[in-house]
Amino acid sequence: DPTSLNPRSAQHRWELIGELALKIGKMNLLESAIAALREQYPTEISAELLELRGELKTVIGQETAHERLRAIADLLSSKSDLATRCSLAEEMRNQGLPEEASRLLEGFVNLSRINPLSTLYLECLAVARRDQAFRDALASAAPAVRETPAILWLIASHAWNSGDLDTASSAIERLVAHSPEVAQGRQLKIQILLRQNRMEEVRAELNEPVEALDWRQTEEACRIASLLAHFGYIERGVAFAYRLFLKHRDEAPAWMTLMSILLSVGQKEGEDSTARWRAETVAPNTAVDIRHDDGEKIFFIVESDPALRQIDTESWEPEHRLVRTLMGLKIGDHFVDADGREGTVTQLRHKYIARLHYIMEHYEKRFPEIFGIRRMKVDTSRPDGLNQLVEKFIEELKTHRDSVEQEQENYLRQNWPLGMLAHRLGHDTIEVAVGLARQGIPLKVADGNPETRENANRLVQENAHKGCVLDLLALWTAWRLQALDVVAEICGPIYLPLSVLDRLRYRRETIDHSASDGLRSASYEDGKIALLEVTPEIVLSWRDDVDALIAWAEEHTTICPTLAGEDLPSELREFLRAGNSDLFDSLIIAKHSGGLLVSDDLPTRELGREIGVPGVWLQSVFWVARNQ
């Protein structure tokens, strides 16, 4: 009976009616709730917020929603109901405005105990990449707040995103100790150990039955399956990937993971790699193709695992009447089933191999917009059938080349940072710089006027050995010139973002794939296909060089997390929040540490100058060194 409620409870009643109407799609009821709230509580924002949520489902886009949310926030006063403030902040967080949400809650949150409001506030700070504010809030929070599973996960994931692996490792260890059954926590722990190059501890984690955990994110589960296979647990990795494929047939990662594991085993073990998965007779784990004499064809898999049979209609129990009839038969054997129908066994494969063939046959049709594998047909009935395939291949190489040239033109014309070009081409700045130089395209290192050189010389000398921050390309160039000791002598201690080491380790891993057979690639140059082949010996020398640089960096530099202070421009913080690129990590660390940025990329240094970060290029450092 609403007439018996006090005004606050009556307001909550209408808010609840509106929320429920929104969830079940009763738009007329939602409109009634909005109208009642507007009439009875005209100074509150409940009606505006409900109306916005309703329109988000139908008529307005994100930009308009952001404008409306900011306008609603302006209606709040310091006396507004805390539940309403929390509700608005939650909606802002959900709609991609975590920074505004955190500021909306500032000064209204009690961090002495855990509750939805304190959790929401800390989450908004972390997601908004208000890194220093997040750390300060954690420091002021009660120990009981910091040690709850939700906050431990927040600390670990925030530290992971910012490159503070020690903090991430400490938090995730406590979380896993508290909740060892949570798959997401175990996966992040393994990822942290990998990023720290602690491989024996990774093996110890994978030695546990991690595939039996409740994996709710398909891509995380696929990552675990791939790691199991990579670290030698091949049968477990394939079995897990097979289960994921059956369970998530509408998701491309599940297809690609199973295929990639099976093909990688082939690459590592040679022609006999599938010996463990041969099928010579009808038996458990065998995929069976039969053809009845009347022309009917049947395919099924003899599956002993009832859990797999529940998610795959083509998997039959070994006790099935037809399966019992066929048990032990080979390809070409004749049979008579229980109904008197005769037929022949036409094909036997292990179930993994059968699924591999299925993926290779159907992936492109099933996921035409998700790059994975391509099927290219050759018309063997025509003398020029192979030539047609080659022409198509040439056309694709030309298209790729045109695309690269267009991106390079954008880099030159729009004054992009080199890292932006690298990100768009899917390479690191080392590869892109080498590619530009090979074509005779000059890198945008400096503008070349005397005033700029003199200013750089002054910055190096004023730095007075206080330390410098190098980006990936500057580190690599100085390493190849055997001049990193000179940089340290002139500029002081060298600081690197963790992402620079990540890039080097990924580079090393990519090179290592070609260490045994060498490297082969094709491109389109001057109207012809250019084939590049590099011997295994040269590839090994590349790998050893990267290994040596990684070892030098780990011993002689300080690896820093990429933390955003409150003085970082909102555009850069938004770039960090998006998490799509490590493009400005070195610049942000220089801003945070007060060190001298050393980068051979003029646009990056120009951006640094705008936010108060002094920057020079390598040659200016060498100039000072030569003069000394």
Side-chain angles (χ1 to χ4, degrees), residues 9 32-33 41 117 125 133 168-169 189 215-216 262 265 267 326 353 366 406 438 477 484 495 503 538 548 555 604 607:
S9 297
S32 299
Y41 312 98
L117 189 61
L125 288 175
S169 180
K189 180 180 179 180
W215 294 96
R216 298 181 181 180
L262 291 170
V265 171
Q267 290 176 334
L326 298 172
I353 305 304
R366 182 63 182 81
Q406 181 59 54
R438 186 182 295 126
T477 303
L484 279 169
Y495 299 92
R503 290 281 185 178
I538 293 177
E555 182 178 354
T604 297
L607 177 60

PDB file of all heavy atoms in Angstrom, residues 9 32-33 41 117 125 133 168-169 189 215-216 262 265 267 326 353 366 406 438 477 484 495 503 538 548 555 604 607:
ATOM      1  N   SER A   9      10.687   6.173   1.126  1.00  0.00           N
ATOM      2  CA  SER A   9      10.334   4.810   0.705  1.00  0.00           C
ATOM      3  C   SER A   9       9.433   4.831  -0.529  1.00  0.00           C
ATOM      4  O   SER A   9       9.549   3.980  -1.419  1.00  0.00           O
ATOM      5  CB  SER A   9       9.644   4.067   1.849  1.00  0.00           C
ATOM      6  OG  SER A   9      10.529   3.925   2.937  1.00  0.00           O
ATOM      7  N   SER A  32       5.321   5.375 -16.799  1.00  0.00           N
ATOM      8  CA  SER A  32       4.498   5.737 -15.632  1.00  0.00           C
ATOM      9  C   SER A  32       5.381   6.051 -14.427  1.00  0.00           C
ATOM     10  O   SER A  32       5.127   7.011 -13.692  1.00  0.00           O
ATOM     11  CB  SER A  32       3.538   4.590 -15.284  1.00  0.00           C
ATOM     12  OG  SER A  32       2.656   4.336 -16.357  1.00  0.00           O
ATOM     13  N   ALA A  33       6.423   5.239 -14.229  1.00  0.00           N
ATOM     14  CA  ALA A  33       7.331   5.454 -13.100  1.00  0.00           C
ATOM     15  C   ALA A  33       8.071   6.784 -13.261  1.00  0.00           C
ATOM     16  O   ALA A  33       8.218   7.547 -12.295  1.00  0.00           O
ATOM     17  CB  ALA A  33       8.319   4.299 -12.993  1.00  0.00           C
ATOM     18  N   TYR A  41       8.777  14.152  -7.119  1.00  0.00           N
ATOM     19  CA  TYR A  41      10.130  14.450  -6.628  1.00  0.00           C
ATOM     20  C   TYR A  41      10.893  15.243  -7.695  1.00  0.00           C
ATOM     21  O   TYR A  41      11.870  14.778  -8.276  1.00  0.00           O
ATOM     22  CB  TYR A  41      10.878  13.150  -6.278  1.00  0.00           C
ATOM     23  CG  TYR A  41      10.035  12.219  -5.439  1.00  0.00           C
ATOM     24  CD1 TYR A  41       9.335  11.157  -6.026  1.00  0.00           C
ATOM     25  CD2 TYR A  41       9.906  12.428  -4.065  1.00  0.00           C
ATOM     26  CE1 TYR A  41       8.551  10.320  -5.267  1.00  0.00           C
ATOM     27  CE2 TYR A  41       9.106  11.594  -3.298  1.00  0.00           C
ATOM     28  CZ  TYR A  41       8.433  10.540  -3.901  1.00  0.00           C
ATOM     29  OH  TYR A  41       7.625   9.725  -3.142  1.00  0.00           O
ATOM     30  N   LEU A 117      29.599   0.905  -2.442  1.00  0.00           N
ATOM     31  CA  LEU A 117      30.048   2.252  -2.803  1.00  0.00           C
ATOM     32  C   LEU A 117      31.580   2.337  -2.827  1.00  0.00           C
ATOM     33  O   LEU A 117      32.168   2.894  -3.756  1.00  0.00           O
ATOM     34  CB  LEU A 117      29.473   3.269  -1.817  1.00  0.00           C
ATOM     35  CG  LEU A 117      29.679   4.747  -2.178  1.00  0.00           C
ATOM     36  CD1 LEU A 117      29.021   5.074  -3.508  1.00  0.00           C
ATOM     37  CD2 LEU A 117      29.129   5.648  -1.076  1.00  0.00           C
ATOM     38  N   LEU A 125      38.340   4.582 -10.135  1.00  0.00           N
ATOM     39  CA  LEU A 125      39.684   5.154 -10.139  1.00  0.00           C
ATOM     40  C   LEU A 125      40.634   4.311 -10.981  1.00  0.00           C
ATOM     41  O   LEU A 125      41.429   4.833 -11.768  1.00  0.00           O
ATOM     42  CB  LEU A 125      40.216   5.256  -8.701  1.00  0.00           C
ATOM     43  CG  LEU A 125      39.604   6.315  -7.787  1.00  0.00           C
ATOM     44  CD1 LEU A 125      40.175   6.184  -6.376  1.00  0.00           C
ATOM     45  CD2 LEU A 125      39.866   7.721  -8.328  1.00  0.00           C
ATOM     46  N   ALA A 133      45.756   8.565  -7.667  1.00  0.00           N
ATOM     47  CA  ALA A 133      44.582   8.661  -6.802  1.00  0.00           C
ATOM     48  C   ALA A 133      44.140   7.274  -6.335  1.00  0.00           C
ATOM     49  O   ALA A 133      43.725   7.089  -5.181  1.00  0.00           O
ATOM     50  CB  ALA A 133      43.440   9.358  -7.534  1.00  0.00           C
ATOM     51  N   ALA A 168      51.277  -6.561  -8.832  1.00  0.00           N
ATOM     52  CA  ALA A 168      50.309  -7.503  -9.409  1.00  0.00           C
ATOM     53  C   ALA A 168      50.530  -8.907  -8.866  1.00  0.00           C
ATOM     54  O   ALA A 168      49.570  -9.602  -8.500  1.00  0.00           O
ATOM     55  CB  ALA A 168      50.426  -7.498 -10.929  1.00  0.00           C
ATOM     56  N   SER A 169      51.792  -9.315  -8.796  1.00  0.00           N
ATOM     57  CA  SER A 169      52.106 -10.661  -8.314  1.00  0.00           C
ATOM     58  C   SER A 169      51.713 -10.831  -6.854  1.00  0.00           C
ATOM     59  O   SER A 169      51.123 -11.851  -6.465  1.00  0.00           O
ATOM     60  CB  SER A 169      53.603 -10.936  -8.494  1.00  0.00           C
ATOM     61  OG  SER A 169      53.933 -12.225  -8.032  1.00  0.00           O
ATOM     62  N   LYS A 189      47.604 -14.997 -12.759  1.00  0.00           N
ATOM     63  CA  LYS A 189      48.860 -15.386 -12.099  1.00  0.00           C
ATOM     64  C   LYS A 189      49.831 -15.982 -13.112  1.00  0.00           C
ATOM     65  O   LYS A 189      51.023 -15.646 -13.128  1.00  0.00           O
ATOM     66  CB  LYS A 189      48.577 -16.394 -10.984  1.00  0.00           C
ATOM     67  CG  LYS A 189      49.850 -16.848 -10.258  1.00  0.00           C
ATOM     68  CD  LYS A 189      49.551 -17.854  -9.156  1.00  0.00           C
ATOM     69  CE  LYS A 189      50.862 -18.293  -8.484  1.00  0.00           C
ATOM     70  NZ  LYS A 189      50.611 -19.279  -7.406  1.00  0.00           N
ATOM     71  N   TRP A 215      36.002 -21.977 -16.447  1.00  0.00           N
ATOM     72  CA  TRP A 215      36.457 -20.915 -17.355  1.00  0.00           C
ATOM     73  C   TRP A 215      35.241 -20.282 -18.020  1.00  0.00           C
ATOM     74  O   TRP A 215      34.573 -20.897 -18.843  1.00  0.00           O
ATOM     75  CB  TRP A 215      37.406 -21.476 -18.408  1.00  0.00           C
ATOM     76  CG  TRP A 215      38.678 -21.970 -17.802  1.00  0.00           C
ATOM     77  CD1 TRP A 215      38.986 -23.251 -17.447  1.00  0.00           C
ATOM     78  CD2 TRP A 215      39.802 -21.173 -17.434  1.00  0.00           C
ATOM     79  NE1 TRP A 215      40.232 -23.301 -16.891  1.00  0.00           N
ATOM     80  CE2 TRP A 215      40.767 -22.048 -16.867  1.00  0.00           C
ATOM     81  CE3 TRP A 215      40.089 -19.818 -17.526  1.00  0.00           C
ATOM     82  CZ2 TRP A 215      41.989 -21.600 -16.398  1.00  0.00           C
ATOM     83  CZ3 TRP A 215      41.310 -19.368 -17.065  1.00  0.00           C
ATOM     84  CH2 TRP A 215      42.243 -20.249 -16.511  1.00  0.00           C
ATOM     85  N   ARG A 216      34.989 -19.021 -17.674  1.00  0.00           N
ATOM     86  CA  ARG A 216      33.807 -18.331 -18.202  1.00  0.00           C
ATOM     87  C   ARG A 216      34.125 -17.508 -19.445  1.00  0.00           C
ATOM     88  O   ARG A 216      33.219 -17.162 -20.194  1.00  0.00           O
ATOM     89  CB  ARG A 216      33.216 -17.434 -17.112  1.00  0.00           C
ATOM     90  CG  ARG A 216      32.747 -18.241 -15.904  1.00  0.00           C
ATOM     91  CD  ARG A 216      32.133 -17.380 -14.832  1.00  0.00           C
ATOM     92  NE  ARG A 216      31.715 -18.181 -13.688  1.00  0.00           N
ATOM     93  CZ  ARG A 216      31.136 -17.695 -12.599  1.00  0.00           C
ATOM     94  NH1 ARG A 216      30.901 -16.389 -12.520  1.00  0.00           N
ATOM     95  NH2 ARG A 216      30.803 -18.485 -11.599  1.00  0.00           N
ATOM     96  N   LEU A 262      47.267 -28.476 -32.899  1.00  0.00           N
ATOM     97  CA  LEU A 262      47.529 -29.673 -33.694  1.00  0.00           C
ATOM     98  C   LEU A 262      48.607 -29.427 -34.745  1.00  0.00           C
ATOM     99  O   LEU A 262      49.490 -30.257 -34.956  1.00  0.00           O
ATOM    100  CB  LEU A 262      46.231 -30.148 -34.354  1.00  0.00           C
ATOM    101  CG  LEU A 262      45.176 -30.706 -33.381  1.00  0.00           C
ATOM    102  CD1 LEU A 262      43.856 -30.905 -34.094  1.00  0.00           C
ATOM    103  CD2 LEU A 262      45.649 -32.013 -32.774  1.00  0.00           C
ATOM    104  N   VAL A 265      52.137 -29.080 -33.120  1.00  0.00           N
ATOM    105  CA  VAL A 265      52.722 -30.387 -32.789  1.00  0.00           C
ATOM    106  C   VAL A 265      53.359 -30.990 -34.029  1.00  0.00           C
ATOM    107  O   VAL A 265      54.449 -31.566 -33.973  1.00  0.00           O
ATOM    108  CB  VAL A 265      51.643 -31.328 -32.207  1.00  0.00           C
ATOM    109  CG1 VAL A 265      52.185 -32.743 -32.067  1.00  0.00           C
ATOM    110  CG2 VAL A 265      51.162 -30.814 -30.869  1.00  0.00           C
ATOM    111  N   GLN A 267      54.680 -29.328 -36.524  1.00  0.00           N
ATOM    112  CA  GLN A 267      55.919 -28.607 -36.813  1.00  0.00           C
ATOM    113  C   GLN A 267      57.053 -29.057 -35.901  1.00  0.00           C
ATOM    114  O   GLN A 267      58.203 -29.162 -36.311  1.00  0.00           O
ATOM    115  CB  GLN A 267      55.698 -27.107 -36.662  1.00  0.00           C
ATOM    116  CG  GLN A 267      54.813 -26.516 -37.748  1.00  0.00           C
ATOM    117  CD  GLN A 267      54.539 -25.040 -37.521  1.00  0.00           C
ATOM    118  OE1 GLN A 267      54.573 -24.558 -36.393  1.00  0.00           O
ATOM    119  NE2 GLN A 267      54.277 -24.315 -38.593  1.00  0.00           N
ATOM    120  N   LEU A 326      30.360 -52.168 -35.340  1.00  0.00           N
ATOM    121  CA  LEU A 326      31.528 -51.743 -36.116  1.00  0.00           C
ATOM    122  C   LEU A 326      32.846 -51.869 -35.358  1.00  0.00           C
ATOM    123  O   LEU A 326      33.915 -51.754 -35.958  1.00  0.00           O
ATOM    124  CB  LEU A 326      31.360 -50.282 -36.544  1.00  0.00           C
ATOM    125  CG  LEU A 326      30.167 -49.981 -37.455  1.00  0.00           C
ATOM    126  CD1 LEU A 326      30.009 -48.475 -37.634  1.00  0.00           C
ATOM    127  CD2 LEU A 326      30.319 -50.664 -38.799  1.00  0.00           C
ATOM    128  N   ILE A 353      41.953 -35.360 -35.398  1.00  0.00           N
ATOM    129  CA  ILE A 353      42.290 -35.131 -36.806  1.00  0.00           C
ATOM    130  C   ILE A 353      41.034 -34.842 -37.619  1.00  0.00           C
ATOM    131  O   ILE A 353      41.032 -33.987 -38.515  1.00  0.00           O
ATOM    132  CB  ILE A 353      43.048 -36.344 -37.385  1.00  0.00           C
ATOM    133  CG1 ILE A 353      44.277 -36.662 -36.532  1.00  0.00           C
ATOM    134  CG2 ILE A 353      43.438 -36.095 -38.830  1.00  0.00           C
ATOM    135  CD1 ILE A 353      45.242 -35.499 -36.371  1.00  0.00           C
ATOM    136  N   ARG A 366      32.566 -20.092 -42.149  1.00  0.00           N
ATOM    137  CA  ARG A 366      31.896 -19.840 -40.870  1.00  0.00           C
ATOM    138  C   ARG A 366      32.250 -18.477 -40.292  1.00  0.00           C
ATOM    139  O   ARG A 366      31.409 -17.803 -39.684  1.00  0.00           O
ATOM    140  CB  ARG A 366      32.293 -20.947 -39.872  1.00  0.00           C
ATOM    141  CG  ARG A 366      31.623 -20.842 -38.506  1.00  0.00           C
ATOM    142  CD  ARG A 366      30.117 -20.998 -38.626  1.00  0.00           C
ATOM    143  NE  ARG A 366      29.478 -20.859 -37.313  1.00  0.00           N
ATOM    144  CZ  ARG A 366      29.210 -19.696 -36.717  1.00  0.00           C
ATOM    145  NH1 ARG A 366      29.515 -18.562 -37.341  1.00  0.00           N
ATOM    146  NH2 ARG A 366      28.632 -19.664 -35.539  1.00  0.00           N
ATOM    147  N   GLN A 406      50.085   3.511 -48.287  1.00  0.00           N
ATOM    148  CA  GLN A 406      49.115   4.518 -47.864  1.00  0.00           C
ATOM    149  C   GLN A 406      49.348   4.910 -46.403  1.00  0.00           C
ATOM    150  O   GLN A 406      49.292   6.090 -46.042  1.00  0.00           O
ATOM    151  CB  GLN A 406      47.688   3.985 -48.039  1.00  0.00           C
ATOM    152  CG  GLN A 406      46.604   4.979 -47.639  1.00  0.00           C
ATOM    153  CD  GLN A 406      46.677   6.272 -48.435  1.00  0.00           C
ATOM    154  OE1 GLN A 406      46.667   6.246 -49.662  1.00  0.00           O
ATOM    155  NE2 GLN A 406      46.752   7.409 -47.753  1.00  0.00           N
ATOM    156  N   ARG A 438      64.977   1.142 -45.501  1.00  0.00           N
ATOM    157  CA  ARG A 438      65.251   0.309 -46.679  1.00  0.00           C
ATOM    158  C   ARG A 438      64.682   0.949 -47.943  1.00  0.00           C
ATOM    159  O   ARG A 438      65.216   0.781 -49.038  1.00  0.00           O
ATOM    160  CB  ARG A 438      64.670  -1.085 -46.467  1.00  0.00           C
ATOM    161  CG  ARG A 438      65.028  -2.075 -47.578  1.00  0.00           C
ATOM    162  CD  ARG A 438      64.379  -3.435 -47.355  1.00  0.00           C
ATOM    163  NE  ARG A 438      64.899  -4.080 -46.163  1.00  0.00           N
ATOM    164  CZ  ARG A 438      64.159  -4.529 -45.165  1.00  0.00           C
ATOM    165  NH1 ARG A 438      62.837  -4.365 -45.211  1.00  0.00           N
ATOM    166  NH2 ARG A 438      64.697  -5.114 -44.129  1.00  0.00           N
ATOM    167  N   THR A 477      68.687   1.180 -31.170  1.00  0.00           N
ATOM    168  CA  THR A 477      69.711   1.867 -31.965  1.00  0.00           C
ATOM    169  C   THR A 477      71.009   2.007 -31.162  1.00  0.00           C
ATOM    170  O   THR A 477      72.101   1.720 -31.668  1.00  0.00           O
ATOM    171  CB  THR A 477      69.212   3.252 -32.398  1.00  0.00           C
ATOM    172  OG1 THR A 477      67.986   3.101 -33.124  1.00  0.00           O
ATOM    173  CG2 THR A 477      70.229   3.952 -33.283  1.00  0.00           C
ATOM    174  N   LEU A 484      75.199   2.111 -25.445  1.00  0.00           N
ATOM    175  CA  LEU A 484      74.339   2.290 -24.283  1.00  0.00           C
ATOM    176  C   LEU A 484      75.130   2.752 -23.061  1.00  0.00           C
ATOM    177  O   LEU A 484      74.631   3.536 -22.246  1.00  0.00           O
ATOM    178  CB  LEU A 484      73.594   0.990 -23.971  1.00  0.00           C
ATOM    179  CG  LEU A 484      72.350   0.737 -24.840  1.00  0.00           C
ATOM    180  CD1 LEU A 484      71.828  -0.673 -24.657  1.00  0.00           C
ATOM    181  CD2 LEU A 484      71.254   1.752 -24.508  1.00  0.00           C
ATOM    182  N   TYR A 495      66.047   4.440 -17.547  1.00  0.00           N
ATOM    183  CA  TYR A 495      64.747   3.889 -17.144  1.00  0.00           C
ATOM    184  C   TYR A 495      64.003   3.422 -18.399  1.00  0.00           C
ATOM    185  O   TYR A 495      64.038   4.088 -19.437  1.00  0.00           O
ATOM    186  CB  TYR A 495      63.920   4.947 -16.413  1.00  0.00           C
ATOM    187  CG  TYR A 495      64.583   5.457 -15.151  1.00  0.00           C
ATOM    188  CD1 TYR A 495      65.411   6.579 -15.182  1.00  0.00           C
ATOM    189  CD2 TYR A 495      64.387   4.811 -13.936  1.00  0.00           C
ATOM    190  CE1 TYR A 495      66.025   7.047 -14.021  1.00  0.00           C
ATOM    191  CE2 TYR A 495      64.991   5.270 -12.772  1.00  0.00           C
ATOM    192  CZ  TYR A 495      65.818   6.388 -12.827  1.00  0.00           C
ATOM    193  OH  TYR A 495      66.425   6.834 -11.690  1.00  0.00           O
ATOM    194  N   ARG A 503      58.140  -5.958 -25.641  1.00  0.00           N
ATOM    195  CA  ARG A 503      58.361  -5.932 -27.093  1.00  0.00           C
ATOM    196  C   ARG A 503      59.599  -6.741 -27.469  1.00  0.00           C
ATOM    197  O   ARG A 503      59.596  -7.478 -28.461  1.00  0.00           O
ATOM    198  CB  ARG A 503      58.523  -4.494 -27.570  1.00  0.00           C
ATOM    199  CG  ARG A 503      57.268  -3.653 -27.526  1.00  0.00           C
ATOM    200  CD  ARG A 503      56.355  -3.955 -28.695  1.00  0.00           C
ATOM    201  NE  ARG A 503      55.198  -3.075 -28.733  1.00  0.00           N
ATOM    202  CZ  ARG A 503      54.278  -3.115 -29.683  1.00  0.00           C
ATOM    203  NH1 ARG A 503      54.377  -4.007 -30.661  1.00  0.00           N
ATOM    204  NH2 ARG A 503      53.251  -2.290 -29.655  1.00  0.00           N
ATOM    205  N   ILE A 538      71.839 -17.162 -39.512  1.00  0.00           N
ATOM    206  CA  ILE A 538      71.620 -15.722 -39.345  1.00  0.00           C
ATOM    207  C   ILE A 538      70.468 -15.463 -38.379  1.00  0.00           C
ATOM    208  O   ILE A 538      70.540 -14.569 -37.527  1.00  0.00           O
ATOM    209  CB  ILE A 538      71.357 -15.056 -40.710  1.00  0.00           C
ATOM    210  CG1 ILE A 538      72.618 -15.119 -41.576  1.00  0.00           C
ATOM    211  CG2 ILE A 538      70.911 -13.606 -40.524  1.00  0.00           C
ATOM    212  CD1 ILE A 538      72.445 -14.549 -42.959  1.00  0.00           C
ATOM    213  N   ALA A 548      70.852 -10.968 -25.709  1.00  0.00           N
ATOM    214  CA  ALA A 548      71.900 -10.195 -25.034  1.00  0.00           C
ATOM    215  C   ALA A 548      71.379  -8.830 -24.591  1.00  0.00           C
ATOM    216  O   ALA A 548      71.707  -8.351 -23.498  1.00  0.00           O
ATOM    217  CB  ALA A 548      73.105 -10.038 -25.964  1.00  0.00           C
ATOM    218  N   GLU A 555      69.844  -6.106 -16.244  1.00  0.00           N
ATOM    219  CA  GLU A 555      70.932  -5.883 -15.287  1.00  0.00           C
ATOM    220  C   GLU A 555      71.255  -4.404 -15.088  1.00  0.00           C
ATOM    221  O   GLU A 555      71.597  -3.977 -13.980  1.00  0.00           O
ATOM    222  CB  GLU A 555      72.187  -6.619 -15.752  1.00  0.00           C
ATOM    223  CG  GLU A 555      73.358  -6.487 -14.783  1.00  0.00           C
ATOM    224  CD  GLU A 555      74.586  -7.271 -15.225  1.00  0.00           C
ATOM    225  OE1 GLU A 555      74.488  -7.999 -16.230  1.00  0.00           O
ATOM    226  OE2 GLU A 555      75.635  -7.140 -14.565  1.00  0.00           O
ATOM    227  N   THR A 604      56.868  12.514 -31.172  1.00  0.00           N
ATOM    228  CA  THR A 604      56.716  12.112 -29.771  1.00  0.00           C
ATOM    229  C   THR A 604      57.329  13.156 -28.848  1.00  0.00           C
ATOM    230  O   THR A 604      56.748  13.526 -27.820  1.00  0.00           O
ATOM    231  CB  THR A 604      57.376  10.738 -29.530  1.00  0.00           C
ATOM    232  OG1 THR A 604      56.706   9.748 -30.329  1.00  0.00           O
ATOM    233  CG2 THR A 604      57.278  10.327 -28.072  1.00  0.00           C
ATOM    234  N   LEU A 607      55.099  16.241 -28.621  1.00  0.00           N
ATOM    235  CA  LEU A 607      53.994  16.030 -27.690  1.00  0.00           C
ATOM    236  C   LEU A 607      54.498  16.132 -26.255  1.00  0.00           C
ATOM    237  O   LEU A 607      53.841  16.721 -25.390  1.00  0.00           O
ATOM    238  CB  LEU A 607      53.353  14.659 -27.932  1.00  0.00           C
ATOM    239  CG  LEU A 607      52.222  14.269 -26.985  1.00  0.00           C
ATOM    240  CD1 LEU A 607      51.082  15.262 -27.059  1.00  0.00           C
ATOM    241  CD2 LEU A 607      51.716  12.867 -27.298  1.00  0.00           C
TER     242      LEU A 607
END
